[in-house]
Amino acid sequence: MLRDPPLIVGNWKMHKTISEARALIDALVGLVGDNFEQGRFTVLAPPFTGLSTVAQAITGQPYLLGAQNLHWEDRGAFTGEISGPMLQDLGCRYVLVGHSERRRYFGESDSIVQKKAAAALRNALRPILCIGETWEQRQSGQMEPVLSVQLTQGLLGVDKHQAENIVIAYEPVWAIGSGRAATADQAAEAHRYIRAQLLALWGEDAGMQVPILYGGSVTPDNIGELLTISDVDGALVGGACLDPVLFAKILRVAAAV
Ligand code: PGA
């Protein structure tokens, strides 16, 4: 099957004020140009406060807008929350769900993650479902069951006809922000397992349509090798996407694989 270019998602986390966001996009566009084919496969996910600014800054350019979180209801008395229709309205096309920082610091269970993924799909947003094991789980041989539960629970109720709108991100918790990315072998093993799970869930055609991104200490130095691994269809980049020089390098490598 003919595969799309790698999907690269920049997760800004809780970084960048509005003026800093503007400066980051300007610098990025200055480095890679505004008619950059890879841009069609590049998602910028600033914090909520930066979405509108980034949406404006990428107008007329191929980049895509993503959010880092959403509420599972479309509206209501949920003080401090942001809903799918609000993200849609801002021009978002993607939204992260189940990032390990949300699971860890904000108590997001698999059932909350599942409701958020459903809310995203209902609002024409592609959920990027993040799954990954901790170091302790890996050491005790629990990687596969952990990935399996997070994947199948997160996708509960999602019909295989919606597979084309789903993105999975494998993010080993121990690799996030640690400077210790998974080795090629570790990433290959996990991605192979996730693909097998998707095929078991949805069958060959639908299961192959889902891009599986790798995330965790991605840099310009390791992105090339990671993207050559079969079933690594892109990357979720945290720290390195905050530096336009590093992110531009990552995009250039991705465009060349
Ligand atoms: P990192 O973060 O690239 O800084 O490791 C990745 C992520 O948490 O999405």
Side-chain angles (χ1 to χ4, degrees):
M1 155 186 163
L2 205 59
R3 295 205 76 84
D4 281 334
L7 181 66
I8 307 294
V9 182
N11 172 14
W12 296 17
K13 307 196 179 182
M14 196 174 70
H15 293 285
K16 306 290 177 186
T17 62
I18 289 176
S19 58
E20 289 167 348
R22 177 95 227 180
L24 175 55
I25 301 296
D26 289 348
L28 184 67
V29 172
L31 286 162
V32 296
D34 57 6
N35 193 14
F36 182 54
E37 173 64 11
Q38 176 64 38
R40 294 201 302 120
F41 300 92
T42 300
V43 180
L44 305 170
F48 288 135
T49 50
L51 284 170
S52 168
T53 302
V54 173
Q56 276 169 28
I58 61 175
T59 302
Q61 292 174 32
Y63 299 95
L64 302 164
L65 191 63
Q68 299 172 20
N69 185 26
L70 84 170
H71 194 266
W72 62 80
E73 293 291 344
D74 289 353
R75 64 193 60 77
F78 300 101
T79 302
E81 292 294 316
I82 309 278
S83 72
M86 294 169 182
L87 297 179
Q88 243 289 318
D89 198 30
L90 280 164
C92 288
R93 304 272 299 280
Y94 289 78
V95 60
L96 300 179
V97 294
H99 189 281
S100 70
E101 288 150 16
R102 302 284 329 162
R103 294 177 189 265
R104 177 170 170 200
Y105 300 121
F106 304 98
E108 288 195 7
S109 62
D110 286 323
S111 93
I112 291 177
V113 173
Q114 182 269 329
K115 288 198 281 180
K116 291 188 170 194
L121 289 169
R122 186 168 73 230
N123 287 291
L125 298 162
R126 286 183 87 179
I128 302 172
L129 171 62
C130 304
I131 61 175
E133 82 288 357
T134 63
W135 184 249
E136 293 69 31
Q137 289 165 334
R138 167 171 279 267
Q139 289 301 92
S140 59
Q142 293 301 298
M143 180 186 86
E144 292 190 353
V146 167
L147 295 182
S148 173
V149 167
Q150 291 182 352
L151 186 75
T152 53
Q153 296 294 306
L155 295 177
L156 213 63
V158 178
D159 187 87
K160 74 172 179 185
H161 299 296
Q162 291 172 301
E164 61 183 347
N165 294 319
I166 299 283
V167 179
I168 304 297
Y170 169 59
E171 293 210 306
V173 179
W174 47 272
I176 296 175
S178 66
R180 185 163 61 115
T183 63
D185 283 350
Q186 288 169 330
E189 185 193 8
H191 281 243
R192 201 180 314 119
Y193 178 74
I194 293 166
R195 178 68 69 203
Q197 294 282 297
L198 289 168
L199 296 181
L201 196 62
W202 285 334
E204 175 81 18
D205 285 350
M208 286 305 290
Q209 276 178 22
V210 181
I212 308 173
L213 315 182
Y214 168 80
S217 296
V218 171
T219 66
D221 294 332
N222 60 23
I223 183 78
E225 185 182 23
L226 287 162
L227 290 178
T228 59
I229 299 168
S230 101
D231 287 319
V232 174
D233 306 308
L236 179 51
V237 183
C241 81
L242 297 172
D243 178 333
V245 174
L246 296 182
F247 198 52
K249 278 191 190 157
I250 288 173
L251 296 185
R252 271 203 220 93
V253 175
V257 291

